Amino acid sequence: MSQNYCYFNGDILPVQDAHIHISDLGLLRSYAVFDYFRTYKSKPFMLADHLERFRNSAEELRLTLSLTDGEIGSIIDELIHKSEVVDVGIRMVITGGYSLDSMAVSDPNFMIIIEPLPVMAEEVYSKGVSLKTYEFLREVPLIKSTAYLNAIKLQPMKEQYDVWDLLYYFENGVLESPRNNFFIFKHKVLITPKDHILKGVTRKKILELARGVFEVQERKLTLDELWEADEAFISGTTKRIIPVVKIDDRSIGDGEVGECTKELTQLFDEYIEAL
Amino acid sequence: MSQNYCYFNGDILPVQDAHIHISDLGLLRSYAVFDYFRTYKSKPFMLADHLERFRNSAEELRLTLSLTDGEIGSIIDELIHKSEVVDVGIRMVITGGYSLDSMAVSDPNFMIIIEPLPVMAEEVYSKGVSLKTYEFLREVPLIKSTAYLNAIKLQPMKEQYDVWDLLYYFENGVLESPRNNFFIFKHKVLITPKDHILKGVTRKKILELARGVFEVQERKLTLDELWEADEAFISGTTKRIIPVVKIDDRSIGDGEVGECTKELTQLFDEYIEAL
């Protein structure tokens, strides 16, 4: 594996050499938030949006980031420059710091980690994927916290049900996948859940691009509407737009990748190409 | 501060020297469970119960503890022996290990950390404390996971409302405090919530001791019943039994530490003395 670097509390060092003391409140109490984004053509994609969300999440936990956006941007540039591949994933994490009593928040620990980008099979885009619904409401859905215990705990369900991922719902409202936002098309109207979800930066860009072409509705999406959808897809930083053709045992639309989803994917691809 | 030691993946070392790599799934994804107990007269209190709960929590996350109870007991004895004080707190943590893609579970990281015991003001026992109700249901309440983000996030409410701690409820059912179990007495019957809570080891011992003297009911406890309670208290490893005399703006009973609570406290103290 190629050597990647990270920033940790003021130092830049190889990722493999970066350690944190075991009294960290992120480790002992899950008191931490993060953000994750990627580069295109070696430049961070939508960095300003990710930084804004990261600062908001940190602020909700009363954690202060001592660096300016400019300083963080410079560190990221240096880390990317040190990387041996063109495009990478970038994870920023801020924790409650080293705590004497494992409850009191202290000076935050802040790290920026360069990671290899996951590789997606071409087939997921050309054929679409299947999801399984699962009732679950995250404790603090609006904060991008490190709370993924449930998501990881449920991983074996994917194999058990032979699906690509889960789709969380709560009561009769569709929410999101554990790491991705969710959308449907119905009569060429793009609909995506509005509340109790983590608002993805890719979601934001998709809505922006879609508004020029489709009617767009951000609102509560019910389970009943889900079963009547013409098309569906999930979105995310590394996944971009992945068509969903089956949910539980039901086909979405005719069970093929839909035309509106294809059109939106093309818009997104063109936007990326033009960067 | 006195020097404390810890066990980390096979080594015994001073706590201050123990570090974990930043790719740990406990840090990045809150994929970790723990247990916490204390010593009395330099011996771990109810170790078998804590180990059983710890193993159950770990198993729920598909994490396997490679050491036997006997081996863990020996390590704990050595750590206690190295400590410079008579009685200590002991924290065991097991995480999903170092993950290449920050989702896949790997070989667990396992640590046992010796911590100084918190000191409780005598006044909380003699005068009792106040709580504020807060609606909240933990994601995975039965597992002793490290998910305390919400508990820490809400800490400023204690100062804001001038209360000692919060009392979680969900819909009309009383649950627990962020780190403690909750009980009431009504007509000398001891009642404590049964579901959607973390079942404390101190709670278990209290119920065992109480059964000889009081009628005991483990069942759903409603908010309406809360306001009608004669007495109330919280329990925990370091707190033992702390009387609750006020919840929100309402006095519990006559607002003084109740007689049944005093009797139960005496039973518990005598049990500890006889160890």
Side-chain angles (χ1 to χ4, degrees), chain B residues 10-26:
Chain B
D11 295 319
I12 285 181
L13 67 170
V15 172
Q16 73 215 36
D17 297 338
H19 293 78
I20 193 164
H21 188 257
I22 58 167
S23 67
D24 179 73
L25 219 46

Side-chain angles (χ1 to χ4, degrees), chain A residues 2-19:
Chain A
S2 64
Q3 172 77 279
N4 278 320
Y5 283 78
C6 69
Y7 168 93
F8 184 76
N9 289 346
D11 295 319
I12 284 180
L13 69 169
V15 172
Q16 72 215 37
D17 296 339
H19 294 79

Side-chain angles (χ1 to χ4, degrees), chain A residues 15 18-22 24 27 29-31 62 91 102-103 136 139 146 148 152-153 156 179, chain B residues 15 18-22 24 27 29-31 62 91 102-103 136 138-139 146 148 152-153 156 179:
Chain A
V15 172
H19 294 79
I20 192 164
H21 189 256
I22 58 168
D24 178 72
L27 176 71
R29 296 295 192 180
S30 306
Y31 200 74
R62 307 183 298 283
R91 186 181 302 274
S102 75
M103 280 301 277
F136 183 67
E139 278 185 8
T146 55
Y148 282 69
I152 296 178
K153 185 170 179 293
R179 295 188 287 166
Chain B
V15 172
H19 293 78
I20 193 164
H21 188 257
I22 58 167
D24 179 73
L27 176 71
R29 295 294 191 179
S30 306
Y31 201 73
R62 305 185 298 284
R91 185 181 304 273
S102 74
M103 280 302 275
F136 184 66
R138 290 190 294 129
E139 278 185 9
T146 55
Y148 282 69
I152 297 177
K153 184 171 180 293
R179 294 189 289 167

